[in-house]
Amino acid sequence: NAPRVPPSRTQFVLSEMSTPIPPTPTDLSEGGTLAIVFVTLSTFAVASLAYLKFGTLDVSNRDVYFAARNSQPWWSVMFNFFSATIGTWVFIIVPEMGTYAGSLGIIGYALATVAPLVVLDLVAPYMRRNLPQGVTLNDFVEQRFGPVMHGVLTICTLFNMFIFLVAEFTSVGGLIQVRALALA
């Protein structure tokens, strides 16, 4: 007789996921959930269209819409970039990294989050001086290095966005899995 090996954490989680969770009185039906999602999306769509129609946002000019050139203070732009780099990874990865790697892991993640902002701070004056009507990094790369490098940058950007979305969806899936296990 071979000794019995205890199940791993992954096997336990997978076995728990395959067990159906009975509904609780606070759970909504599938139709109720879809109705809430539909009403929420419709509300945001109507509000966005109303703002575009009656608001003061000028979307006819690319420069005004994307760049808002010199219309915002530096701290507003800084917080905008900072919040754009932070996603749901803050809720999952940072505590996990703190558990596995300790303070050095958290410091590494903090540096990796802030490093692009520091690079942007160093490169932005050069870009503004040499490409005054440029709006995006793609504009700068196309003017400075040509259409081939513009294509390479576009492919790299799309790959980066794909990886980011996979990480975000993985984090959200992990949160849902944890909640499902807590209800079981």
Side-chain angles (χ1 to χ4, degrees):
N1 259 345
R4 184 158 191 252
V5 178
S8 68
R9 170 86 175 120
T10 305
Q11 290 170 337
F12 173 74
V13 168
L14 291 176
S15 67
E16 286 294 316
M17 287 175 55
S18 62
T19 307
I21 299 172
T24 60
T26 60
D27 286 346
L28 291 172
S29 67
E30 184 177 349
T33 305
L34 289 175
I36 290 172
V37 169
F38 179 76
V39 167
T40 304
L41 290 175
S42 299
T43 302
F44 278 103
V46 167
S48 299
L49 291 173
Y51 186 75
L52 285 174
K53 177 76 173 160
F54 303 111
T56 59
L57 182 64
D58 180 18
V59 294
S60 61
N61 184 350
R62 180 176 95 147
D63 188 58
V64 171
Y65 184 73
F66 284 116
R69 206 171 303 283
N70 295 326
S71 67
Q72 300 296 315
W74 68 268
W75 54 267
S76 175
V77 175
M78 179 195 67
F79 282 125
N80 182 31
F81 279 118
F82 180 74
S83 64
T85 60
I86 301 297
T88 57
W89 70 268
V90 142
F91 299 113
I92 299 292
I93 300 301
V94 175
E96 186 175 325
M97 188 56 66
T99 301
Y100 290 129
S103 299
L104 288 179
I106 294 174
I107 290 169
Y109 261 93
L111 291 175
T113 302
V114 172
L117 300 175
V118 172
V119 169
L120 180 65
D121 186 48
L122 296 173
V123 171
Y126 172 78
M127 287 179 62
R128 191 174 243 188
R129 194 172 45 251
N130 293 316
L131 189 64
Q133 296 307 313
V135 177
T136 64
L137 178 64
N138 283 351
D139 290 339
F140 174 75
V141 168
E142 185 173 24
Q143 181 181 352
R144 176 73 171 86
F145 301 107
V148 173
M149 281 308 294
H150 179 256
V152 170
L153 177 65
T154 301
I155 291 169
C156 290
T157 302
L158 290 174
F159 179 71
N160 185 34
M161 290 169 58
F162 172 75
I163 296 297
F164 180 78
L165 278 175
V166 167
E168 290 293 313
F169 290 149
T170 302
S171 296
V172 170
L175 287 171
I176 291 171
Q177 182 181 14
V178 166
R179 182 165 190 280
L181 289 174
L183 292 175

